[in-house]
Amino acid sequence: MWAGQCQMLGVYLQRPWIVLMLTSIPLALVFIFTSPILKALGQDNTVSDVAGTLARYLIPVIFSYMCSFTCQMFLQAQSKNKVIGYFAAFSLAVDIFLCWLLTVKYKFGTGGALPATVVACWIPNVGQLILIFCGSPDTWKGFSSLAFKDLWPVIKLSASPGVMLW
């Protein structure tokens, strides 16, 4: 399977984690300082403050996407597609329940919906990570220093869609 290079799949998972972590941190800083940035650009103070609050709630979602997309590709490369669907369905059910609970039942409004969304974004990631670390002995051999070698192709591959969108 994979020309005898099964263990390299784990390294190929770690490389995008490194690149995406390095790009997510500056993006998180933008989310932290959304309110002052918007005020400096001339946005109304009330709108800037609300946007800043919402952005800070969504910082964990940035990091959940980093984990989610890479883990999904790792599992899809091993034809473990059903489990991805099961995690997504469970996450959707939890999100609907938590949103109802926090916004309708306890009337927290947006302050309840956003934490529910954060929890729902992380549920499939936790499941996928457990599956990768514990259920993929042929492809996951642990963290490796090989992940830091040949990062340039991953950076180019990650940057090209951003350049196209810009």
Side-chain angles (χ1 to χ4, degrees), residues 76-135:
Q76 286 171 347
Q78 300 172 71
S79 298
K80 296 181 180 179
N81 298 323
K82 280 186 182 179
V83 73
I84 294 170
Y86 295 145
F87 288 138
F90 179 69
S91 175
L92 177 62
V94 169
D95 189 30
I96 290 169
F97 173 72
L98 285 177
C99 281
W100 170 81
L101 184 70
L102 296 174
T103 59
V104 176
K105 178 85 170 151
Y106 292 118
K107 303 199 184 316
F108 288 135
T110 307
L114 290 171
T117 300
V118 170
V119 169
C121 284
W122 276 100
I123 286 173
N125 293 339
V126 171
Q128 290 170 3
L129 287 170
I130 290 170
L131 183 62
I132 290 168
F133 295 157
C134 301

